[in-house]
Amino acid sequence: MTMAIPSFTVETRTRASTTLSAVAVVALLLVAFAAPFIVSRGVIQDLFFILTMLVLAQNWNLLAGYAGLISVGQQVFVGFGAYMMFGCVILFGVDPVAAILIAGLLSVALAIPTAFFTFRLYGPYFAIGTWVVAEVVRLLLAQWKALGGGTGTSLPRDATRDMMGVGVMRDLFGMKASEAGDALTYWLALILVVATIGFIYGLLRSKQGLGLAAVRDNEQAARAVGVDARRMKTVVYLATAFMTGIAGALIYVQKARISPDAAFSVTDWTAYVIFIVVIGGIGTIEGPILGVIIFFLLQNLLADYGSWYLLMLGLLGIAIMFFAPRGLWGLFSGRTGIQLFPVRRVLKGGPLNLTHRGGPHG
């Protein structure tokens, strides 16, 4: 007797998508790494802005788009990471490059008690709770007189001029200290982008990523099949705190001056980030990449319009939510089937013919 037994497989990518992604990523990284040698210092600063905003956008997207945690207080880790970097450099004489990593670790230390508080809230209450936490931390750090209090302070000139790697770049490439500093922070931002996207892509393709998607879609159902929802959310929250804290510290190494209002700006570090993710495509890795490029172009084209600039950004965001709810990348991907970082699992299968022999002698 011949029986047709269906055989199914779960795929997240095809050979074509793997090859396309690998070629595109390698080519882009080679060009990006060489940028300080072929473009002006102003362009490097613009690229640094794009890369750091991309890191913030990818982390918010991981938190909201995959874990279902809509936060409007991520500026807390930008500001806290920046202040911890300043504290390490000014008070303890730590090299700024090393201080960036320390700032990320201290941001995780801050995230642990804040997670204990905010995870008791759900939906809009969680969003408001994260904003309240950010404001509390901002007010506390504004009292830190050693770092300028409410008016802020600047990094010592020697700290940025002599930070790790600058001297080597001056000797090898004949760069001025300021140019070497910009190139170094740019390369660090590039490394941070690669590490962030690599971490998120690896997480989403793992079993933990599948559990995370289940928690986002229906937390109660995920718990019913054995997914530890609180653990998954905590891991994501702490990971985003670490990477956002590092990004904040790196941003303010490049700025070299800090104040509480600037470091904890909800507009600069949360509202713009949400806009980037929404127009690009929430719940995709490619979406924030497209979104940050569009945001940078709009910022340069519309910045001279004053308050109308923010109004136009808002109207554009609303229009995209109405006509392309999955964002511009979701619209493009839906029509073309192209995915540079495929993480969606697709069930494929067909009959597998097996022969079963029966009868008295079978």
Side-chain angles (χ1 to χ4, degrees), residues 3-9 347-354:
M3 300 176 60
I5 302 175
S7 175
F8 296 99
T9 59
L347 186 65
K348 294 186 177 182
L352 177 65
N353 293 323
L354 297 178

Side-chain angles (χ1 to χ4, degrees), residues 201-267:
Y201 186 48
L203 174 64
L204 296 179
R205 285 179 51 78
S206 67
K207 292 182 180 179
Q208 289 75 20
L210 188 61
L212 189 62
V215 171
R216 176 198 59 193
D217 294 338
N218 190 320
E219 184 171 334
Q220 291 183 343
R223 290 178 185 273
V225 295
V227 177
D228 191 338
R230 177 171 287 274
R231 178 177 174 274
M232 292 301 306
K233 288 183 176 182
T234 301
V235 168
V236 169
Y237 190 73
L238 296 183
T240 57
F242 176 70
M243 292 182 287
T244 303
I246 286 181
L250 182 57
I251 289 168
Y252 279 90
V253 166
Q254 203 264 354
K255 288 180 178 291
R257 175 158 184 85
I258 196 171
S259 68
D261 290 342
F264 290 88
S265 171
V266 67
T267 301

Side-chain angles (χ1 to χ4, degrees), residues 76-204:
V76 66
F77 299 117
V78 175
F80 187 78
Y83 263 95
M84 293 303 100
M85 182 274 296
F86 266 72
C88 289
V89 173
I90 294 175
L91 302 180
F92 302 104
V94 179
D95 185 273
V97 176
I100 291 171
L101 180 59
I102 296 173
L105 296 174
L106 292 175
S107 295
V108 175
L110 173 68
I112 294 173
T114 58
F116 179 80
F117 166 71
T118 56
F119 279 15
R120 296 175 181 272
L121 307 172
Y122 295 91
Y125 300 102
F126 175 85
I128 297 301
T130 58
W131 176 77
V132 170
V133 168
E135 285 299 295
V136 169
V137 175
R138 180 184 69 84
L139 292 172
L140 290 174
L141 290 177
Q143 310 306 314
W144 198 353
K145 300 300 181 183
L147 295 183
T151 58
T153 187
S154 299
L155 283 175
R157 188 174 180 181
D158 292 346
T160 54
R161 185 184 60 194
D162 300 329
M163 65 181 172
M164 188 186 307
V166 169
V168 174
M169 293 170 64
R170 286 202 309 258
D171 295 339
L172 288 179
F173 307 119
M175 294 180 174
K176 296 179 181 178
S178 57
E179 294 175 340
D182 284 344
L184 178 62
T185 54
Y186 164 77
W187 279 328
L188 290 175
L190 182 60
I191 292 170
L192 183 58
V193 165
V194 173
T196 300
I197 294 177
F199 167 76
I200 293 173
Y201 186 48
L203 174 64
L204 296 179

